[in-house]
């Protein structure tokens, strides 16, 4: 058994009453509720936590992808993976994952993952997800037709 | 109100459910995103003066879900085949909401078999700076409420439309609608360029309180289709055919008669 530290990087400074009033923390929750100074603090804190997980002996650390939501601040997990790649001494780095249906050209993700795999000297897990409904709203992607496209791309 | 004849009609390998009743010039109704549903009072009233034909689009309800169905353009070509197969001539084409978009797509391609076009709360084009409700961000119940000005009517429709036995059909309709209209949301960015090609008399019918496609859309369609006329019903939402059936039927019948006389 291996034990990984999976971070979701929520926007911890979110105004819970505003979320309640809006009815959702996703897609329709205005970015006017986001304070970039607090956001910067959170990004650094969360990356510190993942580096600490490496020092503590976790087998790996995990990033994920969500869009336009206070639930998670990682729309492009590869950026954070790049920041971590030079710091992780032992742990494997996993990105779970990139949502193929949301991009026009999947080769961009192949390139991103190839670089991460090199930087990590092979201690890298390449994850792919379909994305939940909210991502298709956030990115303006036709879900029924792109799901089929995604199946073609991964096979 | 007596039942229509319901048949399964096969056109170029795709079978669709068709309700038909009445005598007179053919009047083809293209339904909106909720499917053809049941035979309704406004259809029956029209059947007094027209041969009313209500097919269920490929992908919806009791019709086939064909492999070829990707866009509204595919449906437009299907219905050009459909009127040919049934050998309909002098058709009064009535399109409701998504069906209005479809009717417009058909008419910009070929009006050879059409006598007139009526667009009702039609999707298909985009008008800037008009706040619209996004039906994909609403609950099933709220979405139906958004359709109507009269909320008592909305409640009656909710009770019927969301009945458990209709769950599978509703899901099927919702999936195919998402496929057709998700992005761009509810319009074709190229359609407006070709609406000038519509060379049959065109009537634009709208509810003044339409929240999905507010009345600025009626003005835009009226402006873009040469010689068209628009009528806006007061105290009426997205579905004048349901909410103001008598006024709706009167306008459609009057328009068809006028055009026959002219």
């Amino acid at each position: 058994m291996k034990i990984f530290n999976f971070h979701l990087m929520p926007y911890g400074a979110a105004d819970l009453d505003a979320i309640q009033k809006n009815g959702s923390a996703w897609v329709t929750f205005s970015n006017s509720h986001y304070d970039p100074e607090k956001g910067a603090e959170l990004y650094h804190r969360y990356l510190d936590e993942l580096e600490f997980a490496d020092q503590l002996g976790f087998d790996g650390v995990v990033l994920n992808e969500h869009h336009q939501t206070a639930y998670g601040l990682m729309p492009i997990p590869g950026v954070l993976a790049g920041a971590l790649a030079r710091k992780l001494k032992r742990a494997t780095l996993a990105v779970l994952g990139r949502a193929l249906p949301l991009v026009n050209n999947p080769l961009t993700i192949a390139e991103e993952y190839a670089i991460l795999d090199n930087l990590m000297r092979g201690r890298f897990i390449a994850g792919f997800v379909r994305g939940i409904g909210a991502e298709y709203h956030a990115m303006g992607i036709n879900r029924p037709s792109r799901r089929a496209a995604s199946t073609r791309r991964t096979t | 109100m007596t039942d229509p004849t319901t048949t399964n009609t096969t056109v170029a390998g795709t079978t669709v459910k068709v309700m038909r009743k009445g005598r007179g010039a053919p009047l083809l109704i293209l339904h909106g995103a909720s499917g053809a549903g049941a035979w309704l009072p406004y259809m029956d009233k029209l059947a007094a003066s027209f041969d009313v034909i209500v097919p269920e689009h490929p992908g919806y309800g009791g019709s086939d879900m064909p492999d070829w169905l990707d866009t509204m353009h595919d449906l437009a070509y299907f219905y050009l085949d459909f009127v040919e197969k049934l050998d309909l001539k002098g058709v009064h084409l009535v399109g409701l909401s998504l069906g209005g978009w479809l009717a417009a797509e058909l008419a910009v391609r070929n009006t050879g078999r059409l006598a007139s076009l009526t667009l009702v709360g039609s999707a298909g084009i985009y008008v800037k700076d008009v706040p619209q409700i996004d039906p994909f961000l609403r609950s099933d119940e709220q979405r139906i409420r958004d359709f109507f000005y009269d909320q008592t009517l909305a409640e009656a429709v909710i009770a019927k439309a969301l009945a458990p036995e209709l769950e599978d059909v509703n899901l099927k309709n919702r999936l195919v609608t998402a496929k057709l209209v998700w992005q761009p949301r509810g319009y074709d960015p190229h359609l407006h360029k070709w609406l000038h090609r519509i060379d049959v008399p065109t009537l634009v019918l709208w509810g003044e309180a339409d929240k999905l496609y507010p009345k600025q859309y009626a003005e835009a369609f009226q402006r873009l289709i040469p010689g068209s006329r628009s009528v806006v019903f007061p105290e009426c939402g997205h579905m004048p055919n349901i909410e103001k059936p008598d006024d709706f039927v009167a306008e459609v019948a009057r328009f068809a008669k006028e055009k026959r006389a002219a």
Side-chain angles (χ1 to χ4, degrees):
Chain A
M1 187 171 75
K2 291 186 185 295
I3 299 185
F4 282 63
N5 188 302
F6 194 152
H7 217 307
L8 294 173
M9 299 201 180
Y11 182 57
D15 176 348
L16 297 180
D17 290 337
I19 291 175
Q20 185 111 35
K21 198 173 159 210
N22 185 59
S24 174
W26 297 71
V27 184
T28 58
F29 189 58
S30 168
N31 61 1
S32 64
H33 296 289
Y34 183 80
D35 177 341
E37 282 181 24
K38 288 178 184 162
E41 287 306 315
L42 286 170
Y43 274 124
H44 285 291
R45 180 185 129 192
Y46 293 155
L47 289 170
D48 287 345
E49 286 168 3
L50 289 167
E51 289 170 18
F52 189 50
D54 176 47
Q55 292 161 23
L56 287 175
F58 278 90
D59 293 303
V61 299
V62 187
L63 304 175
N64 85 332
E65 170 182 342
H66 285 297
H67 297 266
Q68 288 182 24
T69 173
Y71 174 85
L73 299 177
M74 289 187 277
I76 303 288
V79 172
L80 301 157
L84 284 170
R86 300 255 301 158
K87 298 282 188 159
L88 302 179
K89 299 305 174 199
R90 298 173 42 263
T92 292
L93 174 61
V95 178
L96 301 178
R98 291 305 310 275
L100 281 177
L102 304 185
V103 297
N104 280 323
N105 191 335
L107 284 177
T108 58
I109 293 176
E111 291 174 328
E112 176 186 314
Y113 276 1
I115 296 171
L116 286 168
D117 190 46
N118 273 231
L119 279 174
M120 290 301 296
R121 301 185 196 280
R123 295 186 341 268
F124 178 67
I125 295 172
F128 296 96
V129 297
R130 294 186 303 182
I132 59 171
E135 328 296 358
Y136 293 79
H137 278 280
M139 302 298 276
I141 297 294
N142 188 317
R143 182 172 167 146
S145 50
R146 274 299 175 94
R147 281 271 171 107
S150 169
T151 307
R152 281 200 299 278
R153 285 165 173 192
T154 47
T155 50
Chain B
M1 193 166 90
T2 57
D3 287 340
T5 313
T6 302
T7 53
N8 291 315
T9 301
T10 303
V11 178
T14 298
T15 302
V16 292
K17 194 181 126 195
V18 181
M19 296 184 286
R20 188 166 185 171
K21 186 180 167 182
R23 276 197 200 161
L27 186 135
L28 177 61
I29 297 177
L30 299 180
H31 66 74
S34 318
W39 184 256
L40 293 173
Y42 82 91
M43 298 173 183
D44 214 62
K45 288 186 179 112
L46 285 167
S49 7
F50 298 97
D51 170 14
V52 177
I53 304 161
V54 189
E56 191 144 45
H57 308 332
Y60 284 84
S63 296
D64 282 355
M65 176 76 88
D67 288 339
W68 52 257
L69 180 56
D70 295 310
T71 69
M72 293 295 285
H73 302 179
D74 296 320
L75 281 185
Y77 288 113
F78 172 84
Y79 277 110
L80 284 169
D81 283 355
F82 179 91
V83 290
E84 234 171 83
K85 171 82 191 265
L86 271 64
D87 196 24
L88 305 174
K89 288 172 187 145
V91 176
H92 296 288
L93 181 61
V94 177
L96 313 166
S97 189
L98 171 138
W101 175 4
L102 175 54
E105 293 279 2
L106 183 154
V108 298
R109 283 166 173 75
N110 188 348
T111 54
R113 286 175 179 267
L114 302 188
S116 76
L117 172 67
T118 300
L119 301 178
V120 188
S122 181
I125 59 173
Y126 175 69
V127 181
K128 263 203 266 185
D129 301 326
V130 177
Q132 284 176 266
I133 279 175
D134 180 349
F136 289 106
L137 287 177
R138 309 296 261 181
S139 69
D140 286 341
E141 190 185 315
Q142 188 58 53
R143 193 170 59 250
I144 294 172
R145 288 189 181 282
D146 295 336
F147 290 153
F148 296 101
Y149 174 83
D150 175 0
Q151 288 301 303
T152 322
L153 183 57
E155 275 154 33
V157 173
I158 287 165
K160 264 190 213 161
L162 299 181
E165 62 270 23
L166 292 176
E167 201 171 316
D168 285 347
V169 166
N170 285 340
L171 267 176
K172 181 181 176 183
N173 292 348
R174 201 124 170 79
L175 178 73
V176 71
T177 298
K179 192 172 184 176
L180 294 168
V181 317
W182 187 270
Q183 186 74 17
R185 189 63 55 87
Y187 70 101
D188 177 335
H190 303 285
L191 177 61
H192 74 99
K193 297 187 273 187
W194 304 109
L195 289 173
H196 69 87
R197 283 177 47 81
I198 298 176
D199 57 0
V200 290
T202 298
L203 177 64
V204 177
L205 295 181
W206 230 267
E208 188 169 30
D210 190 330
K211 293 182 189 168
L212 279 87
Y213 293 90
K215 60 184 174 187
Q216 289 92 330
Y217 276 83
E219 291 158 21
F221 271 111
Q222 195 274 321
R223 204 169 50 241
L224 288 162
I225 301 174
S228 62
R229 198 179 78 191
S230 75
V231 176
V232 177
F233 300 110
E235 299 185 344
C236 180
H238 183 57
M239 299 176 158
N241 51 312
I242 312 280
E243 197 153 14
K244 300 276 175 194
D246 291 337
D247 298 342
F248 174 83
V249 168
E251 286 297 340
V252 171
R254 191 158 63 104
F255 184 67
K257 199 175 159 192
E258 249 173 51
K259 293 305 156 189
R260 206 164 41 229

